[in-house]
Amino acid sequence: METVPIANTNTTTGERTHEVEVPTFGLGVYLMQEPGECKSSVLHALEKGYRLIDTAMAYGNEHEVGEAIRESGIAREELFVVTKLRQPHANSHEETLERCQQSLENLGLDYMDLYLVHAPPKDPSARPFVWQGMEECLSSGWTRSVGVSNYGAHHLDAMVSYSTVMPSVNQIEISPWLQRPALRAAIAGIGAVPMAYSPLARGHKVEDPLLGRIAESIGCTPAQAAIKWCVDAGAITIPKSSNPARIEENLGSLQVDLSGTEVDFASLEGSYVSGWDPTSEP
Ligand SMILES: NC(=O)c1ccc[n+]([C@@H]2O[C@H](COP(=O)([O-])OP(=O)(O)OC[C@H]3O[C@@H](n4cnc5c(N)ncnc54)[C@H](OP(=O)(O)O)[C@@H]3O)[C@@H](O)[C@H]2O)c1
């Protein structure tokens, strides 16, 4: 599995700190709500070669991710585990530390690889304190890296005034139907890497006729073409599937060559948001 280095850049000196390697592709586990669904999906994915798992306290399945990791027998250092501080829990420095510890307990892990603020805290005055809590999670070794999710360019800009290190990752919705070149450039501008969630627009767009034609022309499935577009755009990409065959199909996207499809992919752009979009919150 290919990896990409991420780092938390020192806000004052620009020095890259806490550099870690992240697989460019992984499994998202949102809406795996039936008991055992998340565990069996993660186990299947790990068996087939996935090494990055993206969960969140909000998904209610961190414990199943942990169980699958233990049952897989794969060495902890070969895996990359991402979880997130819920937006309703993102209120203070203290609560950030408490929730990080709770996530570690749920996962049954000593450390996570990447801890994200799930979305900009609702109260803008809480944002500096929450981020200082994230920085303490990093310096305490509870996580190897810290980042954000659903931050717009204005949220990232504001962080310069209150952070010691900038986020290593901004996890946002990116898909061929929501390409976000300006926000991706803003993320690169702070030394961070985008992580693409909902690369299939939550499954809403897998039947898109143009995507179907692109896929047919290069000999892959529509989902594989959409996922590979996100990877090629430089985003760590985390499609969700609880279906064993689709878990394998999605991994197969990494073998797909999209050469010659650039113009067609450009015409899929439609500012299509499949779920929520806190990047535009104040
Ligand atoms: N930070 C955030 O705010 C945020 C928000 C949303 C998502 N995420 C993360 O990103 C991950 C992925 O996003 P997502 O779950 O919203 O959407 P997604 O990955 O774009 O799409 C998932 C949907 O597509 C279906 N699907 C998967 N592979 C398929 C294939 N090969 N062919 C046809 N259909 C397929 C899945 O059904 P089956 O399961 O039945 O295959 C599911 O209904 C989440 O699981 C979560 O980890 C983060």
Side-chain angles (χ1 to χ4, degrees), residues 30 54 149-150 171 198 200 202 240-242 246 250 276:
Y30 179 45
D54 179 79
S149 175
N150 294 300
Q171 184 184 113
S198 306
L200 305 173
R202 301 201 174 183
K240 174 265 174 187
S241 179
S242 318
R246 288 203 282 263
N250 295 346
W276 67 337

Side-chain angles (χ1 to χ4, degrees), residues 14-264:
E15 182 204 355
R16 282 167 68 82
T17 73
H18 300 89
E19 188 165 306
V20 292
E21 291 289 326
V22 193
T24 54
F25 172 85
L27 182 74
V29 300
Y30 179 45
L31 293 181
M32 295 191 186
Q33 288 162 328
E34 294 299 316
E37 181 184 358
C38 175
K39 182 180 170 185
S40 63
S41 304
V42 172
L43 260 174
H44 187 71
L46 294 177
E47 269 166 30
K48 293 297 164 186
Y50 285 64
R51 289 295 177 265
L52 159 62
I53 307 295
D54 179 79
T55 184
M57 191 177 275
Y59 305 166
N61 55 21
E62 288 172 316
H63 61 292
E64 289 200 21
V65 170
E67 284 166 22
I69 287 173
R70 282 185 292 285
E71 219 165 279
S72 75
I74 298 169
R76 173 67 186 91
E77 59 274 17
E78 284 182 33
L79 301 175
F80 198 94
V81 180
V82 185
T83 193
K84 313 184 192 83
L85 174 71
R86 289 188 73 164
Q87 196 182 37
H89 295 163
N91 299 306
S92 66
H93 185 127
E94 257 326 289
E95 189 168 7
T96 302
L97 302 184
E98 279 166 28
R99 299 295 180 179
C100 182
Q101 283 291 302
Q102 270 177 17
S103 280
L104 286 173
E105 269 174 44
N106 292 343
L107 289 158
L109 296 177
D110 299 332
Y111 67 91
M112 54 188 78
D113 296 284
L114 176 62
Y115 195 39
L116 302 176
V117 183
H118 206 143
K122 283 282 182 200
D123 173 4
S125 70
R127 289 176 191 161
F129 302 104
V130 168
W131 187 250
Q132 284 151 17
M134 297 293 286
E135 290 177 340
E136 190 170 331
C137 295
L138 179 67
S139 59
S140 304
W142 301 346
T143 181
R144 294 168 70 218
S145 190
V146 285
V148 294
S149 175
N150 294 300
Y151 274 47
H154 60 296
H155 299 124
L156 298 177
D157 284 347
M159 292 187 79
V160 172
S161 69
Y162 63 71
S163 70
T164 303
V165 293
M166 293 296 279
S168 58
V169 161
N170 187 12
Q171 184 184 113
I172 53 171
E173 181 168 0
I174 298 177
S175 75
W177 307 275
L178 181 68
Q179 301 189 6
R180 299 195 131 150
L183 184 49
R184 286 193 275 130
I187 293 168
I190 61 155
V193 174
M195 190 176 277
Y197 74 68
S198 306
L200 305 173
R202 301 201 174 183
H204 304 170
K205 294 287 195 179
V206 181
E207 312 272 310
D208 184 307
L210 177 53
L211 181 69
R213 287 198 292 279
I214 296 172
E216 205 180 342
S217 73
I218 54 176
C220 68
T221 70
Q224 287 176 330
I227 292 165
K228 188 58 176 357
W229 181 87
C230 297
V231 174
D232 286 355
I236 300 161
T237 305
I238 50 168
K240 174 265 174 187
S241 179
S242 318
N243 173 306
R246 288 203 282 263
I247 287 173
E248 292 170 43
E249 175 188 336
N250 295 346
L251 179 62
S253 64
L254 299 179
Q255 311 308 321
V256 169
D257 180 357
L258 295 182
S259 308
T261 62
E262 295 78 3
V263 173
D264 283 338

